Amino acid sequence: MAILGIESTAHTFGVGICQSGRILANQKAMYPIKDKGMIPAQVANFHMKNAAHVIKNAINESGLSTRNIEAIGYTRGPGLGPCLAIGQLVARFLAKRYRLPVMPVNHAIGHIEVTKQAFGIKDPLVLYVSGGNSQILGLVDRPFRHYHVFGETFDIGIGNMLDSFAREAKIIPAWGSEVAKVAMNGKYIELPYTVKGMDFTFTGLLTAATDALRRHSVKDVAYSLQETSFAMLCEATERALLLTKKKDLMLCGGVAQSTRLKEMLQMITKDHGSRFFVSPNELNADNGAMIAVVAEKMFRAGEHYSDKQITIDQRYRPDSVEISW
Ligand code: FE2
């Protein structure tokens, strides 16, 4: 028997199927972003149009039939309201149609658990970096078992910051990964660096980098923006590593695909004799399999949700979730 998971927080509508933690299918449709970023209502419309065939493709890929599905997981949040609403609607529809229980999953915990499972690691310090989020987390048992947030962005996620810069710099498509290409062999110019303890902010840096485009080449500003923002993440993460004394550092989320960020974190773990893990890119990008993996853990731990609890929450924090497994 298997679990089907639906992911729809932002540009990706993903459906994954897993069985005893093994990913049997991971299918998706991705809203094409050009120069205007994401307009939530349009992305939701895209998800609505693509839901049926992505589900069908996932079932086909798994080699199973709907009879083999035991429960449905969907992303409760955090994310864009209209997009989350489509995932929830599809989960409700499948649950009613096949009389299955529904598990509401936290998106960040999806990224964390799928990576932990991929490497068989139990208790890492996690740097979770994506469009809307940037957090340093780790499991604690008190006052209840949850992923404590040791540090986080006080304003925007690092991914959104890089994407916004790409739009200002007319880099098309406006992705952080394109900023990385432009940044190759750039020269360093000084930009504001803001870390308080294990927290950080990115909007001041974004404003300064946008302003610097009037005086410096796109290449130099892109390079300096990457170096500065990644160094901020590294400083906060290193502090958390020393504080928690955790032996493993794990990087996950969309921005975990950045080669430069991986390199910098690797240097830190080398200095402290700890191990460094980062998921393969297909699991760092938003996907349905990570939701299925967490939904399976919740289901096997005996979690149960009434109809009233099948909701969405755009600001659903990972530290509010009790970890039952
Ligand atoms: Fe994500």
Side-chain angles (χ1 to χ4, degrees), residues 107 111 128 130 286:
H107 181 86
H111 277 296
Y128 164 53
S130 68
D286 289 347

Side-chain angles (χ1 to χ4, degrees), residues 186-192 208-209 212-213 215-217 220-225 227-228:
K187 278 201 305 291
Y188 187 75
I189 54 160
E190 201 154 321
L191 291 172
L213 284 170
R215 296 180 302 279
H216 301 276
S217 68
D220 290 351
V221 181
Y223 172 77
S224 310
L225 179 65
E227 290 297 304
T228 308

